[in-house]
Amino acid sequence: MTTPVLEARDVTMRFGGLTAVRSVDFTVNSGEIVGLIGPNGAGKTTFFNCLTGLYVPTEGTVSYKGTVLPPKPHLVTQAGIARTFQNIRLFANMTVLENVLIGRHTRTKEGLWSALLRGPGFKKAEKASEERAMELLQFIGLAHKRDHLARNLPYGEQRKLEIARALASEPGLLLLDEPTAGMNPQETRATEELVFAIREQGIAVLVIEHDMRFIFNLCDRVAVLVQGEKLIEGTSDVVQADERVVAAYLGEPFEGAPGDAEAAEVEAAEAEAAEAEAEHSTKGEAQ
């Protein structure tokens, strides 16, 4: 029996007078791999950010295992949701192992004084974290590169490392944002196998992706966003057969579809919000 892991109800996100996401209902059940697709400007990234606490929805709620999530990314991670980003966000000058260990911070209970004094409790926790990090590196096939700097990894391996870092927080739900962007067919196939293996570990997965073949091969269900609204949701066969989905990707209008101007506004609003978030993150790191 499947139970809901993630439930988004009537989620709406406005940037000023622009509505980027409008009244979206969305569910991911335990053991599922669910895809979220849509043409550029569809509001996918905005919706993703609402799910992970980067944005506070203007209306609606996002719940994880029945509990409404707090609008703070670190608290969402602590609750049990981990994510990767479209643009890789590794710590380039840290080793592969150190990057994964950073992902463990929400699951360690040792505080500042414990770290400073480095007592038995801290050393035990540190050893357990390193053992778990090495298990994850073994899982993704990078254990032999534990001491390599992240910046020196090939692109496909950097993507894998980011997934391992997300898994280090022991999530019940993993959100992948464009996990195969920039990959060759062999790397894409390896990513597909990795996602299946993650599901086998009892972790539900939500994927945003532009590669339709990847999504339709991978997912149990696929939801389509068009101009911030959910157009259709169903199995890969159902979604692929829907004429409105084909029309949306070909740029052909269908009844009730917003035009190019609206799509451009959504893209511009998402880009502006992303720049603001990046600037905020940079300031935080500087402090």
Side-chain angles (χ1 to χ4, degrees), residues 6-11 24-28 47 51 60-63:
L6 177 76
E7 292 181 277
R9 291 289 171 260
D10 198 32
V11 170
V24 174
D25 290 334
F26 191 80
T27 302
V28 179
F47 184 62
L51 299 181
T61 59
V62 179
S63 302

Side-chain angles (χ1 to χ4, degrees), residues 222-258:
V222 179
V224 183
L225 284 188
V226 176
Q227 312 306 311
E229 298 184 29
K230 189 167 73 173
L231 180 65
I232 186 175
E233 182 177 355
T235 64
S236 295
D237 290 341
V238 168
V239 170
Q240 289 180 87
D242 193 287
E243 293 181 357
R244 295 171 300 168
V245 176
V246 176
Y249 273 93
L250 292 176
E252 297 174 359
F254 54 89
E255 186 177 353

Side-chain angles (χ1 to χ4, degrees), residues 13-198:
M13 185 68 200
R14 298 188 184 94
F15 298 103
L18 173 69
T19 302
V21 175
R22 187 189 304 275
S23 300
V24 174
D25 290 334
F26 191 80
T27 302
V28 179
N29 295 312
S30 59
E32 274 193 317
I33 301 173
V34 181
L36 183 65
I37 65 173
N40 291 335
K44 302 185 300 298
T45 299
T46 295
F47 184 62
F48 222 55
N49 288 340
C50 287
L51 299 181
T52 56
L54 282 173
Y55 298 161
V56 181
T58 310
E59 297 171 13
T61 59
V62 179
S63 302
Y64 176 72
K65 294 186 176 180
T67 301
V68 175
L69 290 168
K72 298 287 184 183
H74 69 284
L75 295 178
V76 170
T77 303
Q78 193 171 321
I81 296 178
R83 72 168 293 178
T84 64
F85 291 85
Q86 183 175 350
N87 300 315
I88 294 173
R89 297 190 181 186
L90 295 173
F91 293 92
N93 291 320
M94 289 186 177
T95 66
V96 167
L97 177 61
E98 288 168 342
N99 268 275
V100 180
L101 285 171
I102 285 172
R104 293 285 305 164
H105 77 279
T106 59
R107 297 294 174 250
T108 55
K109 296 181 171 59
E110 300 302 310
L112 173 62
W113 288 110
S114 177
L116 290 174
L117 297 173
R118 301 187 69 83
F122 176 82
K123 291 179 180 177
K124 183 178 179 181
E126 188 176 46
K127 184 173 184 292
S129 288
E130 184 167 331
E131 287 174 354
R132 178 56 181 154
M134 285 306 300
E135 287 176 7
L136 290 169
L137 289 177
Q138 189 72 42
F139 176 66
I140 65 167
L142 287 179
H144 63 295
K145 293 190 175 183
R146 56 170 284 168
D147 296 322
H148 290 218
L149 293 181
R151 69 183 182 193
N152 293 333
L153 295 181
Y155 179 81
E157 291 184 352
Q158 288 189 20
R159 284 280 183 191
K160 283 184 176 181
L161 178 56
E162 193 173 41
I163 291 174
R165 186 178 63 185
L167 292 174
S169 67
E170 307 294 343
L173 173 65
L174 177 64
L175 278 59
L176 302 175
D177 191 353
E178 302 278 359
T180 68
M183 287 188 176
N184 60 41
Q186 184 178 356
E187 290 170 333
T188 298
R189 176 60 184 164
T191 301
E192 183 179 314
E193 292 174 354
L194 178 58
V195 175
F196 282 134
I198 290 168

